[in-house]
Amino acid sequence: MIVLSFLVKIREKARTVGKRVVLPEGTDERVITAAAKIVELGVAKPIVLGHKEDMERVANDLGISLKGVEIIEIAKSDRVDAYATKFAELRAKKGMTYEKAREIMTKDPNFYGAMMVKMGDADAMVSGSDSPTADVLRAGLQVIGTKKGIKTVSSMFVMELTERQDTYGEVLLFGDCSVIPVPTSEQLADIAEASVVTAKSVVGMEGKVALLTFSTKGSASHPDIDVVIEAGKILEERGVKFPFTAEVQADAAIVKSVAMKKCPDSKVAGTANILVFPNLAAGNIGYKLVQRLAGANAYGPLIQGLASPINDLSRGCSVDDIVNLVAITAVQAAE
């Protein structure tokens, strides 16, 4: 099955790189279960932040073993002082003191986990099963920061189709679905560029980008459409090497017969594999409809633009969702 082939490839690659992935939410039963499964599958070396006795009690009740899972109680950690010192240094211009930084490091697992990545004590972080996206992103931005030359942090879902792959392909990438509510033209262009990198590093796929809106090549007129058209012009000015089309409706982006009628001169329309949505509402609604109505597997959101991989889980995630995102994040860390 297609659904297995993608996971098999990701898990095989994750096993070969052996990355350390920190999971800050050790109070979540799903995280504890996932950590044990991660060790069993060998897709990463999990580090879980939480109270050891409590976690072992939960594991015992569930009948699972935490052998091979590194557990850190942050309040007792001998790294707190070093982390607090570094965080105070990073945020000095924002008025951060050592005392305040130390309080954050001992009380906020997301910040402690992000600092582990920053200081090289872990390679990546996966959080969000029990934290809002904003909390995970805040830790990532304040501690890890953005990649050199990157202004926009965004997100991407890998949508693995289980039906009609002959028509739409095995995998589509959807962005941005969880970070920027109303992107500017420049941000849409940034999302497109970052998504092509994600497509190559995670899926092994050459990206073909469609910047979506409710018009195809002048079929409607509205300021919201102008934002998307301008994003296409920015990509042209940047001289990007990947193929893209701007101002295209979803059906024309992925259905060849529709593209032939609406935009026959486009080299991307009808075959796009990266869909950049015009705003967060469209992206979030779009991926969830495809996931629920079409039975697609949604992996992510993968956060794009940070200097090191920090990815965000949905609070409705399953154990397998956690395991799969950890494997993908480990692959990202290797890249």
Side-chain angles (χ1 to χ4, degrees):
M1 291 177 62
I2 297 301
V3 70
L4 291 178
S5 65
F6 175 73
L7 285 181
V8 166
K9 290 175 183 177
I10 287 293
R11 289 178 176 180
E12 284 182 349
K13 189 167 184 179
R15 289 187 193 100
T16 64
V17 296
K19 294 299 180 180
R20 302 160 298 168
V21 180
V22 59
L23 300 161
E25 297 163 315
T27 56
D28 191 324
E29 183 178 297
R30 293 167 298 173
V31 170
I32 296 170
T33 306
K37 191 168 183 178
I38 289 163
V39 172
E40 179 185 345
L41 294 172
V43 296
K45 299 173 182 177
I47 305 167
V48 183
L49 307 184
H51 193 274
K52 187 172 183 178
E53 289 185 4
D54 291 344
M55 287 179 59
E56 289 177 342
R57 188 181 306 113
V58 170
N60 186 61
D61 291 343
L62 294 171
I64 59 176
S65 170
L66 292 181
K67 183 178 180 180
V69 177
E70 183 179 350
I71 300 171
I72 295 176
E73 298 184 29
I74 62 176
K76 300 178 181 179
S77 169
D78 59 5
R79 296 289 285 157
V80 167
D81 287 342
Y83 290 177
T85 299
K86 182 64 175 179
F87 189 51
E89 175 189 320
L90 291 171
R91 303 289 293 173
K93 292 182 180 179
K94 299 293 184 179
M96 181 63 65
T97 64
Y98 169 81
E99 290 74 20
K100 180 62 177 176
R102 197 177 197 286
E103 181 181 1
I104 291 171
M105 287 300 146
T106 54
K107 292 184 177 180
D108 193 320
N110 282 316
F111 274 85
Y112 185 98
M115 189 57 73
M116 289 188 70
V117 178
K118 181 73 173 180
M119 299 289 277
D121 296 327
D123 300 301
M125 182 174 96
V126 171
S127 189
S129 67
D130 198 32
S131 305
T133 295
D135 290 357
V136 179
L137 283 177
R138 188 178 299 109
L141 285 167
Q142 292 187 14
V143 176
I144 300 296
T146 56
K147 290 180 181 177
K148 187 176 181 179
I150 297 292
K151 296 179 181 178
T152 303
V153 172
S154 62
S155 74
M156 171 60 62
F157 270 91
V158 178
M159 304 298 295
E160 187 175 42
L161 305 184
T162 57
E163 298 179 3
R164 304 187 70 181
Q165 298 96 334
D166 291 343
T167 303
Y168 302 115
E170 298 176 6
V171 174
L172 296 173
L173 271 62
F174 287 9
D176 173 10
C177 301
S178 66
V179 178
I180 306 173
V182 185
T184 64
S185 297
E186 186 170 356
Q187 287 174 326
L188 286 173
D190 289 346
I191 292 166
E193 289 199 68
S195 299
V196 171
V197 174
T198 300
K200 185 67 174 179
S201 64
V202 174
V203 186
M205 180 173 76
E206 299 296 331
K208 294 181 288 183
V209 177
L211 288 96
L212 302 181
T213 184
F214 57 92
S215 168
T216 298
K217 306 304 179 185
S219 65
S221 178
H222 191 275
D224 290 348
I225 297 171
D226 295 339
V227 174
V228 177
I229 293 172
E230 181 61 27
K233 292 178 180 178
I234 291 171
L235 289 175
E236 289 178 357
E237 292 169 358
R238 292 178 182 178
V240 297
K241 303 300 182 184
F242 57 86
F244 70 91
T245 185
E247 193 204 354
V248 63
Q249 291 161 287
D251 55 356
I254 60 175
V255 182
K256 292 180 182 178
S257 59
V258 176
M260 288 301 295
K261 293 179 180 179
K262 293 188 175 184
C263 44
D265 296 331
S266 174
K267 295 180 180 180
V268 174
T271 62
N273 52 24
I274 296 175
L275 306 183
V276 176
F277 290 85
N279 55 53
L280 194 57
N284 191 272
I285 292 167
Y287 101 79
K288 288 183 178 178
L289 285 176
V290 173
Q291 180 186 31
R292 301 299 179 181
L293 298 182
N297 294 288
Y299 302 108
L302 308 183
I303 305 302
Q304 306 178 133
L306 292 176
S308 297
I310 290 183
N311 283 324
D312 176 46
L313 292 157
S314 165
R315 279 177 283 178
C317 66
S318 67
V319 170
D320 283 342
D321 290 336
I322 299 171
V323 174
N324 293 335
L325 188 56
V326 166
I328 292 171
T329 305
V331 170
Q332 285 183 298
E335 296 293 336

